[in-house]
Amino acid sequence: MDHHWVAKAWLSDMGLPQYSQAFHNHLVDGRLLNSLTRRDLERHLNITKKFHQVSLLLGIELLHLLNFDKEALQARRVQCEHQNVDPLVWTSHRVMKWIKDIDLKEFAESLLSSGVHGAVMVLDPTFNTDAMATALGIPSNKHMVRRHLVEEMKNLIGPARTDAKQDYEHLSLGTPPTPLRQNSLGRPPSSTGRHTDDEGSLRRRAVKPPTGFSPKARNGRDLSCHSSYGSLPREGRDQTPPRAEGSPIHGYTSIEVTNV
């Protein structure tokens, strides 16, 4: 996954092509994607919109699920191009096609450059019908249209989330990580409950995991309560020498996952 593919193809698939130049300038390739945190996205790539940060991190999580095998990813996308199945791997463009397929064509263009893609729809439990309706620009007084969207999303996303949990169990990854709840589209940031560990990317819900699931080790490291993997070293972080504007980002290791 070279930086040209990431900046052009991958960001377009995520529905965030507006950040292509920044990713290209910083030479963000597959290995660097594997290490990006929320802090990196905001400080180095100037991605300040919280939902866009979540969108990119969930896109990276999908790559983790497929072991960063873009051929496997493309093969799954080809299989569901003309069938409304396996939404986890859908690109933003495929989501727009689905919106047209369910007779909401007039709202589909609202998803351009929005960051709504399949991994967001499946892996973020806070991305519900209201969030999708907000992204589509469906007025709140169009009750029948929203009810129609509820049924279509239930039929599509419900089974996909079940499948995703099974994938995590099969790969011994524990439970699917979830983004910060206040960062999901349609949910305004809370003035309380600020989080100080802004280096982190995704958070796991502090709730009892589904029956049959338990946090397991990824690459030999426990992902249970209060653990993390691949975070920036906490000691000496502030002593890092300043980096020249436009130069590549180096020295990061992996996406940090912590419990709420």
Side-chain angles (χ1 to χ4, degrees):
M1 295 182 177
D2 62 40
H3 71 280
H4 296 289
W5 181 83
V6 170
K8 299 296 183 181
W10 186 75
L11 281 177
S12 178
D13 290 343
M14 296 301 96
L16 295 170
Q18 61 268 41
Y19 300 116
S20 178
Q21 191 60 54
F23 273 65
H24 191 276
N25 289 344
H26 288 290
L27 305 180
V28 179
D29 58 9
R31 287 174 294 181
L32 193 49
L33 276 183
N34 181 44
S35 73
L36 287 180
T37 66
R38 299 173 64 91
R39 189 175 187 175
D40 298 332
L41 294 175
E42 186 160 353
R43 287 192 174 186
H44 302 299
L45 296 169
N46 199 32
I47 300 173
T48 57
K49 290 186 177 181
K50 300 304 182 183
F51 180 71
H52 289 180
Q53 295 173 8
V54 169
S55 172
L56 291 169
L57 292 168
L58 288 175
I60 295 170
E61 184 67 18
L62 173 61
L63 295 178
H64 274 293
L65 278 172
L66 298 176
N67 200 28
F68 283 80
D69 186 341
K70 68 179 181 181
E71 284 75 22
L73 175 61
Q74 184 58 29
R76 282 180 62 170
R77 286 173 172 171
V78 168
Q79 291 176 354
C80 62
E81 181 62 28
H82 303 292
Q83 302 180 66
N84 291 330
V85 296
D86 201 11
L88 176 63
V89 299
W90 285 8
T91 67
S92 179
H93 310 291
R94 182 63 181 86
V95 174
M96 291 173 63
K97 180 180 181 297
W98 173 70
I99 291 297
K100 295 175 182 178
D101 289 345
I102 62 173
D103 300 322
L104 295 176
K105 181 179 180 179
E106 65 270 32
F107 302 106
E109 297 300 314
S110 298
L111 294 184
L112 287 172
S113 301
S114 68
V116 176
H117 53 83
V120 169
M121 295 168 65
V122 176
L123 296 180
D124 181 0
T126 69
F127 190 85
N128 53 21
T129 305
D130 287 338
M132 178 62 88
T134 298
L136 292 170
I138 300 176
S140 58
N141 61 353
K142 288 190 174 289
H143 304 296
M144 296 303 294
V145 174
R146 284 176 172 251
R147 185 182 301 178
H148 171 67
L149 183 61
V150 167
E151 293 302 318
E152 294 293 345
M153 285 193 65
K154 186 195 312 182
N155 293 335
L156 178 71
I157 303 304
R161 285 180 173 171
T162 299
D163 291 343
K165 289 179 182 179
Q166 292 174 351
D167 286 343
Y168 271 82
E169 183 181 44
H170 177 71
L171 296 172
S172 299
L173 301 181
T175 55
T178 59
L180 297 175
R181 290 186 178 275
Q182 70 266 29
N183 289 344
S184 293
L185 190 66
R187 286 174 176 262
S190 173
S191 58
T192 60
R194 292 177 177 267
H195 302 286
T196 58
D197 53 340
D198 62 334
E199 300 87 357
S201 55
L202 303 178
R203 289 178 177 270
R204 293 180 181 274
R205 287 166 291 171
V207 297
K208 184 178 179 181
T211 303
F213 281 81
S214 61
K216 299 181 181 179
R218 177 183 290 185
N219 298 330
R221 285 169 287 188
D222 185 16
L223 298 185
S224 57
C225 186
H226 300 302
S227 66
S228 62
Y229 63 97
S231 60
L232 292 171
R234 294 188 180 279
E235 294 184 1
R237 180 179 297 155
D238 293 334
Q239 285 72 39
T240 303
R243 185 176 50 81
E245 184 66 26
S247 62
I249 308 168
H250 296 292
Y252 304 111
T253 51
S254 180
I255 299 174
E256 182 179 46
V257 180
T258 61
N259 277 23
V260 178

